[in-house]
Amino acid sequence: MPIHQISGCIGCNACIESCPTDVIKLDEATQKAVIKYPEDCQICHLCRLYCPVGAITITPEKSIPVMVSWR
Ligand code: SF4
Ligand code: SF4
């Protein structure tokens, strides 16, 4: 699971608005962000970068290796 955890959310909505694939939703009851569709995560890190409190953790297990240049 690329996006791994949300902990310490203050419900600002920044991650929800920044995610291009709508992985994160706001829980109506708690007014905090929840990982709704983790299988759609593209590991773009936008949610993590926009979160003002560093609440989002992304696992590196599906990250794309850096390409080597052609000779
Ligand atoms: S890493 Fe990108 S695709 Fe994955 S949940 Fe965050 S914003 Fe969405
Ligand atoms: S950006 Fe961070 S604080 Fe804001 S809703 Fe998302 S997880 Fe919560």
Side-chain angles (χ1 to χ4, degrees):
M1 180 160 58
I3 180 168
H4 178 60
Q5 187 180 33
I6 298 177
S7 176
C9 172
I10 58 171
C12 75
N13 261 353
C15 60
I16 296 161
E17 289 169 8
S18 65
C19 179
T21 51
D22 289 335
V23 170
I24 309 165
K25 298 290 180 190
L26 192 72
D27 186 289
E28 293 294 330
T30 63
Q31 290 296 301
K32 291 183 178 177
V34 291
I35 303 168
K36 190 85 174 180
Y37 307 108
E39 66 278 7
D40 291 341
C41 178
Q42 303 301 306
I43 321 155
C44 69
H45 288 254
L46 283 175
C47 58
R48 183 180 65 79
L49 294 171
Y50 276 101
C51 180
V53 293
I56 297 174
T57 308
I58 295 175
T59 58
E61 65 193 35
K62 284 180 80 177
S63 59
I64 300 165
V66 177
M67 286 179 66
V68 292
S69 57
W70 296 100
R71 290 193 164 201

Short mmCIF file of all heavy atoms in Angstrom, two decimals:
data_model
loop_
_atom_site.label_atom_id
_atom_site.label_comp_id
_atom_site.label_asym_id
_atom_site.label_seq_id
_atom_site.Cartn_x
_atom_site.Cartn_y
_atom_site.Cartn_z
N MET A 1 0.85 -1.19 0.00
CA MET A 1 0.00 0.00 0.00
C MET A 1 0.89 1.25 0.00
O MET A 1 1.57 1.50 0.97
CB MET A 1 -0.90 -0.03 1.23
CG MET A 1 -1.81 1.15 1.32
SD MET A 1 -3.23 0.90 2.38
CE MET A 1 -2.51 0.49 3.93
N PRO A 2 0.90 2.00 -1.06
CA PRO A 2 1.80 3.16 -1.16
C PRO A 2 1.53 4.22 -0.11
O PRO A 2 2.43 4.60 0.60
CB PRO A 2 1.53 3.68 -2.56
CG PRO A 2 0.99 2.50 -3.31
CD PRO A 2 0.21 1.71 -2.32
N ILE A 3 0.28 4.73 -0.04
CA ILE A 3 0.00 5.65 1.06
C ILE A 3 -0.32 4.78 2.26
O ILE A 3 -1.17 3.89 2.20
CB ILE A 3 -1.13 6.65 0.73
CG1 ILE A 3 -1.36 7.58 1.93
CG2 ILE A 3 -2.42 5.97 0.28
CD1 ILE A 3 -2.24 8.77 1.65
N HIS A 4 0.39 5.00 3.32
CA HIS A 4 0.42 4.02 4.41
C HIS A 4 -0.45 4.42 5.60
O HIS A 4 -1.21 3.61 6.12
CB HIS A 4 1.86 3.83 4.85
CG HIS A 4 2.03 2.89 5.98
ND1 HIS A 4 1.64 1.56 5.91
CD2 HIS A 4 2.51 3.07 7.24
CE1 HIS A 4 1.89 0.97 7.07
NE2 HIS A 4 2.41 1.86 7.89
N GLN A 5 -0.35 5.68 6.01
CA GLN A 5 -1.01 6.04 7.26
C GLN A 5 -1.29 7.53 7.32
O GLN A 5 -0.52 8.34 6.78
CB GLN A 5 -0.08 5.65 8.42
CG GLN A 5 -0.71 5.82 9.79
CD GLN A 5 0.26 5.41 10.89
OE1 GLN A 5 1.47 5.58 10.76
NE2 GLN A 5 -0.25 4.88 11.97
N ILE A 6 -2.39 7.89 7.97
CA ILE A 6 -2.66 9.28 8.29
C ILE A 6 -2.83 9.36 9.80
O ILE A 6 -3.69 8.71 10.37
CB ILE A 6 -3.93 9.80 7.58
CG1 ILE A 6 -3.76 9.72 6.06
CG2 ILE A 6 -4.23 11.23 8.01
CD1 ILE A 6 -4.98 10.14 5.26
N SER A 7 -1.97 10.14 10.43
CA SER A 7 -2.00 10.22 11.89
C SER A 7 -1.75 11.66 12.32
O SER A 7 -0.76 12.26 11.93
CB SER A 7 -0.91 9.29 12.47
OG SER A 7 -0.86 9.41 13.86
N GLY A 8 -2.66 12.21 13.10
CA GLY A 8 -2.51 13.58 13.56
C GLY A 8 -3.18 14.59 12.65
O GLY A 8 -2.85 15.78 12.67
N CYS A 9 -4.14 14.13 11.84
CA CYS A 9 -4.84 15.00 10.90
C CYS A 9 -5.63 16.09 11.62
O CYS A 9 -6.27 15.84 12.63
CB CYS A 9 -5.78 14.13 10.06
SG CYS A 9 -6.88 15.06 8.99
N ILE A 10 -5.61 17.31 11.04
CA ILE A 10 -6.40 18.41 11.60
C ILE A 10 -7.57 18.77 10.67
O ILE A 10 -8.23 19.79 10.86
CB ILE A 10 -5.52 19.65 11.87
CG1 ILE A 10 -4.83 20.12 10.58
CG2 ILE A 10 -4.50 19.36 12.98
CD1 ILE A 10 -4.12 21.48 10.72
N GLY A 11 -7.79 17.96 9.64
CA GLY A 11 -8.96 18.14 8.78
C GLY A 11 -8.93 19.36 7.89
O GLY A 11 -9.97 19.96 7.62
N CYS A 12 -7.77 19.72 7.38
CA CYS A 12 -7.66 20.95 6.57
C CYS A 12 -8.07 20.75 5.11
O CYS A 12 -8.22 21.70 4.37
CB CYS A 12 -6.24 21.49 6.64
SG CYS A 12 -5.07 20.52 5.65
N ASN A 13 -8.18 19.50 4.66
CA ASN A 13 -8.61 19.18 3.30
C ASN A 13 -7.52 19.29 2.22
O ASN A 13 -7.77 18.99 1.06
CB ASN A 13 -9.79 20.06 2.84
CG ASN A 13 -11.12 19.35 2.99
OD1 ASN A 13 -11.17 18.17 3.30
ND2 ASN A 13 -12.19 20.08 2.78
N ALA A 14 -6.33 19.74 2.57
CA ALA A 14 -5.30 19.98 1.56
C ALA A 14 -4.93 18.71 0.80
O ALA A 14 -4.76 18.72 -0.41
CB ALA A 14 -4.06 20.56 2.23
N CYS A 15 -4.83 17.60 1.49
CA CYS A 15 -4.45 16.35 0.82
C CYS A 15 -5.56 15.87 -0.10
O CYS A 15 -5.30 15.36 -1.18
CB CYS A 15 -4.12 15.27 1.85
SG CYS A 15 -5.49 14.88 2.96
N ILE A 16 -6.79 16.06 0.32
CA ILE A 16 -7.93 15.62 -0.48
C ILE A 16 -7.98 16.40 -1.79
O ILE A 16 -8.21 15.85 -2.86
CB ILE A 16 -9.23 15.79 0.34
CG1 ILE A 16 -9.18 14.88 1.56
CG2 ILE A 16 -10.47 15.50 -0.50
CD1 ILE A 16 -10.11 15.24 2.67
N GLU A 17 -7.72 17.69 -1.69
CA GLU A 17 -7.75 18.54 -2.89
C GLU A 17 -6.53 18.32 -3.77
O GLU A 17 -6.60 18.54 -4.98
CB GLU A 17 -7.85 20.00 -2.47
CG GLU A 17 -9.22 20.33 -1.88
CD GLU A 17 -9.27 21.69 -1.22
OE1 GLU A 17 -8.29 22.46 -1.35
OE2 GLU A 17 -10.28 22.00 -0.58
N SER A 18 -5.44 17.89 -3.20
CA SER A 18 -4.22 17.74 -4.01
C SER A 18 -4.09 16.36 -4.66
O SER A 18 -3.37 16.21 -5.64
CB SER A 18 -2.98 18.01 -3.14
OG SER A 18 -2.85 17.02 -2.14
N CYS A 19 -4.79 15.36 -4.15
CA CYS A 19 -4.63 14.00 -4.71
C CYS A 19 -5.26 13.89 -6.09
O CYS A 19 -6.47 14.09 -6.23
CB CYS A 19 -5.24 12.98 -3.76
SG CYS A 19 -5.08 11.29 -4.42
N PRO A 20 -4.48 13.54 -7.11
CA PRO A 20 -5.03 13.46 -8.47
C PRO A 20 -5.92 12.25 -8.70
O PRO A 20 -6.67 12.20 -9.67
CB PRO A 20 -3.77 13.37 -9.35
CG PRO A 20 -2.72 12.81 -8.46
CD PRO A 20 -3.03 13.29 -7.07
N THR A 21 -5.87 11.26 -7.82
CA THR A 21 -6.67 10.05 -8.05
C THR A 21 -7.71 9.82 -6.94
O THR A 21 -8.24 8.72 -6.81
CB THR A 21 -5.76 8.82 -8.18
OG1 THR A 21 -4.86 8.79 -7.06
CG2 THR A 21 -4.96 8.86 -9.46
N ASP A 22 -7.99 10.84 -6.15
CA ASP A 22 -9.06 10.77 -5.14
C ASP A 22 -8.92 9.60 -4.17
O ASP A 22 -9.90 8.91 -3.87
CB ASP A 22 -10.44 10.72 -5.82
CG ASP A 22 -10.80 12.04 -6.46
OD1 ASP A 22 -10.28 13.08 -6.01
OD2 ASP A 22 -11.59 12.04 -7.43
N VAL A 23 -7.71 9.37 -3.73
CA VAL A 23 -7.45 8.28 -2.79
C VAL A 23 -7.98 8.61 -1.40
O VAL A 23 -8.46 7.74 -0.67
CB VAL A 23 -5.93 8.01 -2.72
CG1 VAL A 23 -5.58 7.07 -1.59
CG2 VAL A 23 -5.44 7.46 -4.06
N ILE A 24 -7.91 9.89 -1.05
CA ILE A 24 -8.21 10.32 0.32
C ILE A 24 -9.58 11.01 0.38
O ILE A 24 -9.92 11.80 -0.50
CB ILE A 24 -7.12 11.28 0.84
CG1 ILE A 24 -5.74 10.67 0.62
CG2 ILE A 24 -7.33 11.61 2.31
CD1 ILE A 24 -4.60 11.65 0.75
N LYS A 25 -10.34 10.69 1.39
CA LYS A 25 -11.64 11.31 1.60
C LYS A 25 -11.73 11.85 3.01
O LYS A 25 -11.01 11.41 3.90
CB LYS A 25 -12.76 10.28 1.37
CG LYS A 25 -12.82 9.72 -0.04
CD LYS A 25 -13.27 10.75 -1.04
CE LYS A 25 -13.32 10.19 -2.45
NZ LYS A 25 -13.52 11.23 -3.46
N LEU A 26 -12.65 12.80 3.23
CA LEU A 26 -12.86 13.31 4.57
C LEU A 26 -13.94 12.48 5.25
O LEU A 26 -15.04 12.31 4.72
CB LEU A 26 -13.29 14.79 4.51
CG LEU A 26 -13.26 15.51 5.86
CD1 LEU A 26 -11.80 15.76 6.30
CD2 LEU A 26 -14.00 16.83 5.78
N ASP A 27 -13.61 11.95 6.40
CA ASP A 27 -14.58 11.18 7.18
C ASP A 27 -15.60 12.16 7.78
O ASP A 27 -15.22 13.07 8.52
CB ASP A 27 -13.87 10.41 8.29
CG ASP A 27 -14.82 9.49 9.04
OD1 ASP A 27 -15.67 10.00 9.79
OD2 ASP A 27 -14.71 8.27 8.87
N GLU A 28 -16.86 11.98 7.41
CA GLU A 28 -17.89 12.93 7.84
C GLU A 28 -18.03 12.96 9.37
O GLU A 28 -18.28 14.00 9.96
CB GLU A 28 -19.24 12.55 7.21
CG GLU A 28 -19.29 12.72 5.71
CD GLU A 28 -19.18 14.18 5.28
OE1 GLU A 28 -19.62 15.06 6.04
OE2 GLU A 28 -18.64 14.44 4.19
N ALA A 29 -17.89 11.82 10.00
CA ALA A 29 -18.09 11.74 11.44
C ALA A 29 -16.96 12.41 12.22
O ALA A 29 -17.20 13.16 13.16
CB ALA A 29 -18.23 10.28 11.85
N THR A 30 -15.72 12.13 11.80
CA THR A 30 -14.58 12.65 12.57
C THR A 30 -14.02 13.94 11.99
O THR A 30 -13.23 14.62 12.64
CB THR A 30 -13.45 11.60 12.59
OG1 THR A 30 -12.99 11.39 11.25
CG2 THR A 30 -13.92 10.27 13.18
N GLN A 31 -14.41 14.27 10.73
CA GLN A 31 -13.87 15.45 10.04
C GLN A 31 -12.35 15.36 9.89
O GLN A 31 -11.65 16.37 9.98
CB GLN A 31 -14.27 16.74 10.77
CG GLN A 31 -15.76 17.06 10.64
CD GLN A 31 -16.20 17.34 9.20
OE1 GLN A 31 -15.69 18.24 8.56
NE2 GLN A 31 -17.12 16.54 8.69
N LYS A 32 -11.88 14.13 9.68
CA LYS A 32 -10.46 13.90 9.44
C LYS A 32 -10.28 13.08 8.18
O LYS A 32 -11.18 12.34 7.77
CB LYS A 32 -9.82 13.19 10.64
CG LYS A 32 -9.77 14.09 11.87
CD LYS A 32 -9.08 13.44 13.03
CE LYS A 32 -9.02 14.43 14.19
NZ LYS A 32 -8.43 13.86 15.38
N ALA A 33 -9.11 13.20 7.57
CA ALA A 33 -8.85 12.51 6.31
C ALA A 33 -8.65 11.02 6.56
O ALA A 33 -8.03 10.61 7.55
CB ALA A 33 -7.60 13.09 5.66
N VAL A 34 -9.20 10.22 5.65
CA VAL A 34 -9.03 8.77 5.72
C VAL A 34 -8.58 8.25 4.35
O VAL A 34 -8.93 8.82 3.31
CB VAL A 34 -10.32 8.03 6.15
CG1 VAL A 34 -10.64 8.31 7.61
CG2 VAL A 34 -11.48 8.41 5.25
N ILE A 35 -7.82 7.16 4.36
CA ILE A 35 -7.38 6.53 3.11
C ILE A 35 -8.52 5.65 2.61
O ILE A 35 -8.83 4.62 3.20
CB ILE A 35 -6.11 5.69 3.35
CG1 ILE A 35 -5.00 6.56 3.95
CG2 ILE A 35 -5.64 5.06 2.04
CD1 ILE A 35 -3.83 5.76 4.49
N LYS A 36 -9.13 6.06 1.52
CA LYS A 36 -10.33 5.37 1.03
C LYS A 36 -10.00 4.36 -0.08
O LYS A 36 -10.52 3.25 -0.09
CB LYS A 36 -11.31 6.40 0.50
CG LYS A 36 -12.67 5.87 0.19
CD LYS A 36 -13.55 5.82 1.41
CE LYS A 36 -14.96 5.41 1.02
NZ LYS A 36 -15.84 5.35 2.18
N TYR A 37 -9.16 4.74 -1.02
CA TYR A 37 -8.85 3.87 -2.16
C TYR A 37 -7.33 3.74 -2.33
O TYR A 37 -6.76 4.28 -3.29
CB TYR A 37 -9.47 4.40 -3.44
CG TYR A 37 -10.96 4.67 -3.33
CD1 TYR A 37 -11.45 5.97 -3.29
CD2 TYR A 37 -11.86 3.61 -3.27
CE1 TYR A 37 -12.81 6.22 -3.17
CE2 TYR A 37 -13.23 3.84 -3.16
CZ TYR A 37 -13.69 5.15 -3.11
OH TYR A 37 -15.04 5.39 -3.00
N PRO A 38 -6.66 3.05 -1.41
CA PRO A 38 -5.19 2.99 -1.44
C PRO A 38 -4.64 2.37 -2.71
O PRO A 38 -3.54 2.69 -3.15
CB PRO A 38 -4.84 2.14 -0.21
CG PRO A 38 -6.10 1.39 0.12
CD PRO A 38 -7.23 2.30 -0.28
N GLU A 39 -5.43 1.48 -3.34
CA GLU A 39 -4.96 0.82 -4.56
C GLU A 39 -4.82 1.79 -5.72
O GLU A 39 -4.16 1.50 -6.71
CB GLU A 39 -5.90 -0.34 -4.93
CG GLU A 39 -7.31 0.07 -5.34
CD GLU A 39 -8.24 0.32 -4.16
OE1 GLU A 39 -7.79 0.32 -3.00
OE2 GLU A 39 -9.45 0.53 -4.41
N ASP A 40 -5.42 2.96 -5.62
CA ASP A 40 -5.32 3.96 -6.69
C ASP A 40 -4.15 4.93 -6.50
O ASP A 40 -3.93 5.80 -7.35
CB ASP A 40 -6.62 4.77 -6.77
CG ASP A 40 -7.78 3.93 -7.26
OD1 ASP A 40 -7.53 2.87 -7.87
OD2 ASP A 40 -8.94 4.32 -7.04
N CYS A 41 -3.43 4.81 -5.39
CA CYS A 41 -2.35 5.74 -5.12
C CYS A 41 -1.22 5.60 -6.15
O CYS A 41 -0.77 4.50 -6.45
CB CYS A 41 -1.81 5.50 -3.72
SG CYS A 41 -0.41 6.56 -3.31
N GLN A 42 -0.78 6.73 -6.69
CA GLN A 42 0.28 6.76 -7.71
C GLN A 42 1.63 7.18 -7.13
O GLN A 42 2.58 7.45 -7.86
CB GLN A 42 -0.11 7.72 -8.83
CG GLN A 42 -1.44 7.38 -9.49
CD GLN A 42 -1.46 5.99 -10.10
OE1 GLN A 42 -0.59 5.67 -10.90
NE2 GLN A 42 -2.42 5.18 -9.72
N ILE A 43 1.69 7.28 -5.81
CA ILE A 43 2.93 7.61 -5.09
C ILE A 43 3.52 8.95 -5.58
O ILE A 43 4.72 9.09 -5.74
CB ILE A 43 3.96 6.48 -5.20
CG1 ILE A 43 3.26 5.12 -5.11
CG2 ILE A 43 4.99 6.55 -4.06
CD1 ILE A 43 4.02 4.00 -5.77
N CYS A 44 2.65 9.91 -5.82
CA CYS A 44 3.14 11.21 -6.30
C CYS A 44 3.62 12.09 -5.15
O CYS A 44 4.27 13.10 -5.37
CB CYS A 44 2.05 11.92 -7.09
SG CYS A 44 0.67 12.47 -6.06
N HIS A 45 3.27 11.75 -3.93
CA HIS A 45 3.69 12.45 -2.72
C HIS A 45 3.06 13.83 -2.55
O HIS A 45 3.43 14.56 -1.63
CB HIS A 45 5.23 12.58 -2.65
CG HIS A 45 5.91 11.29 -2.35
ND1 HIS A 45 6.48 10.99 -1.13
CD2 HIS A 45 6.09 10.20 -3.12
CE1 HIS A 45 7.00 9.77 -1.16
NE2 HIS A 45 6.78 9.27 -2.37
N LEU A 46 2.13 14.22 -3.42
CA LEU A 46 1.52 15.55 -3.28
C LEU A 46 0.81 15.71 -1.95
O LEU A 46 0.91 16.73 -1.29
CB LEU A 46 0.54 15.79 -4.43
CG LEU A 46 1.16 16.15 -5.77
CD1 LEU A 46 0.07 16.25 -6.84
CD2 LEU A 46 1.92 17.46 -5.68
N CYS A 47 0.06 14.69 -1.55
CA CYS A 47 -0.68 14.78 -0.28
C CYS A 47 0.28 15.01 0.88
O CYS A 47 0.03 15.84 1.75
CB CYS A 47 -1.50 13.53 -0.07
SG CYS A 47 -0.55 11.99 -0.05
N ARG A 48 1.35 14.29 0.87
CA ARG A 48 2.33 14.41 1.96
C ARG A 48 2.96 15.81 1.95
O ARG A 48 3.14 16.42 3.00
CB ARG A 48 3.42 13.34 1.80
CG ARG A 48 4.44 13.32 2.91
CD ARG A 48 5.48 12.25 2.68
NE ARG A 48 6.32 12.47 1.52
CZ ARG A 48 7.34 13.33 1.47
NH1 ARG A 48 7.67 14.03 2.54
NH2 ARG A 48 8.04 13.47 0.37
N LEU A 49 3.28 16.32 0.77
CA LEU A 49 3.93 17.62 0.69
C LEU A 49 2.99 18.76 1.08
O LEU A 49 3.42 19.76 1.64
CB LEU A 49 4.46 17.83 -0.74
CG LEU A 49 5.58 16.88 -1.16
CD1 LEU A 49 5.88 17.02 -2.65
CD2 LEU A 49 6.83 17.15 -0.34
N TYR A 50 1.71 18.61 0.79
CA TYR A 50 0.75 19.67 1.10
C TYR A 50 0.25 19.62 2.53
O TYR A 50 -0.30 20.61 3.03
CB TYR A 50 -0.44 19.62 0.14
CG TYR A 50 -0.19 20.32 -1.16
CD1 TYR A 50 0.14 19.62 -2.32
CD2 TYR A 50 -0.26 21.72 -1.24
CE1 TYR A 50 0.37 20.27 -3.52
CE2 TYR A 50 -0.02 22.37 -2.44
CZ TYR A 50 0.30 21.65 -3.57
OH TYR A 50 0.54 22.30 -4.76
N CYS A 51 0.41 18.50 3.20
CA CYS A 51 -0.12 18.39 4.58
C CYS A 51 0.67 19.31 5.51
O CYS A 51 1.88 19.18 5.64
CB CYS A 51 -0.03 16.95 5.07
SG CYS A 51 -0.65 16.77 6.76
N PRO A 52 0.00 20.24 6.18
CA PRO A 52 0.70 21.22 7.02
C PRO A 52 1.24 20.65 8.33
O PRO A 52 2.05 21.30 8.99
CB PRO A 52 -0.37 22.28 7.29
CG PRO A 52 -1.66 21.55 7.20
CD PRO A 52 -1.46 20.49 6.15
N VAL A 53 0.77 19.46 8.70
CA VAL A 53 1.20 18.91 9.99
C VAL A 53 1.97 17.60 9.84
O VAL A 53 2.23 16.91 10.83
CB VAL A 53 -0.01 18.71 10.94
CG1 VAL A 53 -0.61 20.05 11.35
CG2 VAL A 53 -1.07 17.82 10.31
N GLY A 54 2.32 17.23 8.62
CA GLY A 54 3.11 16.02 8.42
C GLY A 54 2.40 14.75 8.86
O GLY A 54 3.02 13.84 9.41
N ALA A 55 1.09 14.70 8.61
CA ALA A 55 0.30 13.57 9.11
C ALA A 55 0.35 12.34 8.22
O ALA A 55 -0.06 11.26 8.64
CB ALA A 55 -1.16 14.01 9.28
N ILE A 56 0.85 12.49 6.99
CA ILE A 56 0.76 11.39 6.01
C ILE A 56 2.09 10.67 5.85
O ILE A 56 3.14 11.30 5.66
CB ILE A 56 0.27 11.93 4.66
CG1 ILE A 56 -1.14 12.51 4.82
CG2 ILE A 56 0.30 10.83 3.59
CD1 ILE A 56 -1.69 13.19 3.60
N THR A 57 2.03 9.36 5.91
CA THR A 57 3.20 8.52 5.68
C THR A 57 2.99 7.71 4.41
O THR A 57 1.93 7.13 4.22
CB THR A 57 3.41 7.54 6.85
OG1 THR A 57 3.40 8.27 8.07
CG2 THR A 57 4.74 6.80 6.72
N ILE A 58 3.99 7.68 3.55
CA ILE A 58 3.92 6.90 2.32
C ILE A 58 5.03 5.87 2.33
O ILE A 58 6.19 6.19 2.58
CB ILE A 58 4.04 7.81 1.08
CG1 ILE A 58 2.82 8.75 1.03
CG2 ILE A 58 4.16 6.99 -0.20
CD1 ILE A 58 2.86 9.76 -0.05
N THR A 59 4.65 4.63 2.06
CA THR A 59 5.66 3.57 2.05
C THR A 59 6.40 3.58 0.71
O THR A 59 5.81 3.87 -0.33
CB THR A 59 5.01 2.18 2.24
OG1 THR A 59 4.07 1.99 1.19
CG2 THR A 59 4.34 2.06 3.56
N PRO A 60 7.68 3.27 0.71
CA PRO A 60 8.46 3.32 -0.53
C PRO A 60 8.41 2.03 -1.34
O PRO A 60 9.03 1.93 -2.37
CB PRO A 60 9.88 3.55 -0.01
CG PRO A 60 9.89 2.86 1.31
CD PRO A 60 8.49 2.96 1.87
N GLU A 61 7.61 1.06 -0.92
CA GLU A 61 7.71 -0.28 -1.52
C GLU A 61 7.36 -0.32 -3.00
O GLU A 61 7.83 -1.18 -3.72
CB GLU A 61 6.83 -1.27 -0.75
CG GLU A 61 5.35 -0.98 -0.83
CD GLU A 61 4.56 -1.80 0.20
OE1 GLU A 61 5.07 -2.04 1.31
OE2 GLU A 61 3.45 -2.19 -0.12
N LYS A 62 6.55 0.62 -3.49
CA LYS A 62 6.20 0.60 -4.90
C LYS A 62 6.82 1.77 -5.66
O LYS A 62 6.39 2.11 -6.75
CB LYS A 62 4.68 0.64 -5.08
CG LYS A 62 4.02 -0.69 -4.77
CD LYS A 62 2.53 -0.63 -4.93
CE LYS A 62 2.13 -0.74 -6.39
NZ LYS A 62 0.67 -0.74 -6.55
N SER A 63 7.81 2.41 -5.08
CA SER A 63 8.41 3.54 -5.77
C SER A 63 9.17 3.06 -7.00
O SER A 63 9.69 1.94 -7.06
CB SER A 63 9.34 4.31 -4.83
OG SER A 63 10.34 3.46 -4.36
N ILE A 64 9.23 3.91 -8.00
CA ILE A 64 9.85 3.56 -9.27
C ILE A 64 11.35 3.81 -9.18
O ILE A 64 11.77 4.88 -8.77
CB ILE A 64 9.23 4.39 -10.40
CG1 ILE A 64 7.72 4.12 -10.48
CG2 ILE A 64 9.91 4.09 -11.73
CD1 ILE A 64 6.96 5.14 -11.29
N PRO A 65 12.17 2.81 -9.54
CA PRO A 65 13.62 3.03 -9.46
C PRO A 65 14.08 4.15 -10.40
O PRO A 65 13.48 4.35 -11.46
CB PRO A 65 14.21 1.69 -9.90
CG PRO A 65 13.09 0.79 -10.24
CD PRO A 65 11.80 1.51 -10.05
N VAL A 66 15.12 4.82 -10.01
CA VAL A 66 15.66 5.90 -10.83
C VAL A 66 16.25 5.30 -12.11
O VAL A 66 16.98 4.31 -12.07
CB VAL A 66 16.75 6.66 -10.05
CG1 VAL A 66 17.37 7.74 -10.92
CG2 VAL A 66 16.17 7.24 -8.77
N MET A 67 15.92 5.89 -13.25
CA MET A 67 16.42 5.36 -14.52
C MET A 67 17.89 5.72 -14.71
O MET A 67 18.32 6.81 -14.37
CB MET A 67 15.62 5.96 -15.68
CG MET A 67 14.23 5.38 -15.79
SD MET A 67 13.30 6.12 -17.14
CE MET A 67 14.22 5.54 -18.54
N VAL A 68 18.64 4.79 -15.27
CA VAL A 68 20.02 5.10 -15.60
C VAL A 68 20.05 5.71 -17.01
O VAL A 68 19.22 5.37 -17.85
CB VAL A 68 20.93 3.84 -15.56
CG1 VAL A 68 21.07 3.35 -14.15
CG2 VAL A 68 20.37 2.74 -16.46
N SER A 69 20.97 6.57 -17.24
CA SER A 69 21.00 7.23 -18.55
C SER A 69 21.53 6.27 -19.61
O SER A 69 22.32 5.36 -19.33
CB SER A 69 21.90 8.46 -18.48
OG SER A 69 23.18 8.08 -18.07
N TRP A 70 21.09 6.45 -20.85
CA TRP A 70 21.54 5.63 -21.96
C TRP A 70 22.95 6.01 -22.36
O TRP A 70 23.34 7.16 -22.30
CB TRP A 70 20.61 5.82 -23.18
CG TRP A 70 19.22 5.35 -22.92
CD1 TRP A 70 18.16 6.12 -22.61
CD2 TRP A 70 18.76 4.00 -22.91
NE1 TRP A 70 17.05 5.36 -22.40
CE2 TRP A 70 17.37 4.05 -22.59
CE3 TRP A 70 19.36 2.76 -23.15
CZ2 TRP A 70 16.59 2.91 -22.50
CZ3 TRP A 70 18.57 1.62 -23.07
CH2 TRP A 70 17.22 1.69 -22.76
N ARG A 71 23.70 5.03 -22.80
CA ARG A 71 25.05 5.32 -23.25
C ARG A 71 25.07 5.63 -24.73
O ARG A 71 24.28 5.11 -25.45
CB ARG A 71 25.96 4.12 -22.97
CG ARG A 71 26.19 3.95 -21.49
CD ARG A 71 27.33 2.99 -21.24
NE ARG A 71 27.77 3.13 -19.88
CZ ARG A 71 28.99 2.73 -19.49
NH1 ARG A 71 29.84 2.24 -20.34
NH2 ARG A 71 29.33 2.86 -18.24
S1 SF4 B 1 0.77 9.98 -2.99
FE1 SF4 B 1 -0.35 11.08 -4.61
S2 SF4 B 1 -1.79 9.56 -5.44
FE2 SF4 B 1 -1.08 8.78 -3.46
S3 SF4 B 1 -2.64 9.45 -2.00
FE3 SF4 B 1 -1.00 11.00 -2.04
S4 SF4 B 1 -1.65 12.55 -3.54
FE4 SF4 B 1 -2.88 10.69 -3.85
S1 SF4 B 2 -3.47 17.62 4.58
FE1 SF4 B 2 -2.91 16.63 6.53
S2 SF4 B 2 -4.07 17.75 8.09
FE2 SF4 B 2 -4.96 18.30 6.10
S3 SF4 B 2 -6.69 16.86 5.85
FE3 SF4 B 2 -4.88 15.91 4.89
S4 SF4 B 2 -3.93 14.62 6.48
FE4 SF4 B 2 -5.35 16.04 7.48
#
